[in-house]
Amino acid sequence: MAHPPPHQATFRPPGRHRLRLQPLLHQHPHLQPPNHLSSRNPNDRIGIYYDKVDVYAAYHGQQITLPTLLPPTYQGHKDITVWSPFLYGDQVPVAPYVGVSLSEDQIAGTVLVNVRVDGRIRWKVGTFISGRYHLHVNCPAYINFGGRNNGMGVGPAAIKFQLIMDCHVDV
């Protein structure tokens, strides 16, 4: 059986987000944006079953949010599927250097967070359904933010920011 063409994924957050970075003493940063994760199936004859797929955020290689399980989904030919996972990491323990580095990046005005998707998928060709394949997606998200003086603050705990990302998909 031929290997399907490359899969495409996009991480697209809406215009406003809440990014709460708890004080350094707690060492538990967390990200609370409403996110949109979309997947486009470019195949004419191959469908995709998303059996078990988790989404989470990582900073400097360490997971900083709890994994959010996406609902099992079938994606037909040329379909686009959109999920809105809620990434939340309150009380997720992180290494001390991560808290320090995150605070420094916040002061500098830019934080790089990797939104990651890990899961199991199957391909459907006609009536044939393949075995399970690992799905790994990495979307680096550069979060730019600042104080009220530069027009970026939108509330006491909310920050408006633009994300610049190019997702890498590996099956």
Side-chain angles (χ1 to χ4, degrees), residues 21-164:
L21 304 177
Q22 291 185 345
L24 185 58
L25 295 174
H26 293 112
Q27 299 297 327
H28 299 291
H30 58 277
L31 177 67
Q32 269 188 294
N35 306 296
H36 298 296
L37 180 67
S38 67
S39 171
R40 181 170 115 32
N41 179 0
N43 302 297
D44 286 328
R45 296 185 175 99
I46 301 172
I48 304 170
Y49 284 100
Y50 295 89
D51 293 327
K52 182 182 181 305
V53 180
D54 285 317
V55 181
Y56 62 92
Y59 176 79
H60 283 249
Q62 184 172 357
Q63 185 172 331
I64 61 170
T65 66
L66 298 171
T68 299
L69 182 64
L70 298 179
T73 306
Y74 173 75
Q75 187 176 46
H77 315 148
K78 300 283 188 179
D79 279 350
I80 296 175
T81 304
V82 178
W83 298 277
S84 296
F86 186 74
L87 302 179
Y88 190 78
D90 195 20
Q91 303 304 316
V92 173
V94 297
Y97 78 89
V98 171
V100 171
S101 182
L102 190 53
S103 294
E104 290 171 355
D105 284 354
Q106 182 181 8
I107 290 167
T110 302
V111 175
L112 172 63
V113 175
N114 290 61
V115 177
R116 295 190 175 157
V117 178
D118 290 320
R120 299 275 190 177
I121 63 171
R122 293 177 291 153
W123 308 108
K124 180 180 179 188
V125 182
T127 59
F128 173 77
I129 298 174
S130 74
R132 294 180 194 221
Y133 288 84
H134 273 94
L135 171 69
H136 301 284
V137 179
N138 183 29
C139 299
Y142 291 97
I143 304 169
N144 297 308
F145 58 95
R148 295 184 186 278
N149 294 339
N150 65 8
M152 296 299 283
V154 294
I159 299 166
K160 182 178 178 181
F161 54 86
Q162 298 285 331
L163 297 182
I164 305 166

